[in-house]
Amino acid sequence: MNILNVATILCIGLLIGGELAVSAFINPVVWKLDLAAQARASQLFGRRLGRAMPVWYIASLLLLVSETITHRHESHIGLLGVAIAFWGAAIALSLLSLVPINNRMVRLDADGWTESTQRELRMWDGLHRVRVAVLAVSMIFFLAGLGI
């Protein structure tokens, strides 16, 4: 296994783990807080992750593309292409639905945090879970493409 394989596995694996942690641990805890605390916590997480994740997603995509170029003459190249397609689908889902909701959430003050806002945040979480599943499928195809 070469350094590119290790870097790609770490990069996408840690990203998927971080995204899973948001749905499985962070959001359920935040939802138990009062509305003002939910608003503040969601704003803080939304801003922090909103800055870091785009860079991480693009870096992961570039690593997947690099892996595909590196392994272009191998028999499992199609699996690497499928991994890229799923990763791209996750990015598209993010840009078309999750990012706009996140951007609205981080702009709200505590007074703007209503039941409607909470429903929108739960919709975000449902879409986010779909994204996590798509990312996991991408990882599976990537690992299969490497023969791991």
Side-chain angles (χ1 to χ4, degrees), residues 33-72:
L33 303 171
D34 63 75
L35 282 179
Q38 281 184 39
R40 187 68 181 136
S42 294
Q43 287 173 333
L44 292 171
F45 282 121
R47 282 189 188 114
R48 174 67 57 101
L49 295 172
R51 282 190 301 270
M53 291 314 236
V55 175
W56 204 348
Y57 271 85
I58 296 302
S60 297
L61 180 62
L62 293 174
L63 285 167
L64 286 169
V65 169
S66 297
E67 288 279 7
T68 303
I69 292 168
T70 301
H71 297 281
R72 68 186 171 277

Side-chain angles (χ1 to χ4, degrees), residues 1-12 59-74 76-81 83-84 141-143 145-148:
M1 185 174 297
N2 65 38
I3 190 76
L4 179 60
N5 295 150
V6 172
T8 306
I9 291 167
L10 282 173
C11 188
I12 67 176
S60 297
L61 180 62
L62 293 174
L63 285 167
L64 286 169
V65 169
S66 297
E67 288 279 7
T68 303
I69 292 168
T70 301
H71 297 281
R72 68 186 171 277
H73 300 297
E74 296 178 17
H76 295 105
I77 185 69
L79 296 172
L80 296 175
I84 290 172
F141 275 100
F142 167 65
L143 293 173
L146 291 182
I148 296 176

Side-chain angles (χ1 to χ4, degrees), residues 27 36-52 97-113 117-118 120-121 124:
N27 283 347
Q38 281 184 39
R40 187 68 181 136
S42 294
Q43 287 173 333
L44 292 171
F45 282 121
R47 282 189 188 114
R48 174 67 57 101
L49 295 172
R51 282 190 301 270
S97 56
L98 293 162
V99 169
I101 294 170
N102 183 70
N103 289 345
R104 283 193 296 277
M105 296 298 123
V106 299
R107 285 192 300 264
L108 288 176
D109 60 14
D111 295 334
W113 202 259
T117 306
Q118 285 182 305
E120 190 171 29
L121 188 58
W124 181 95

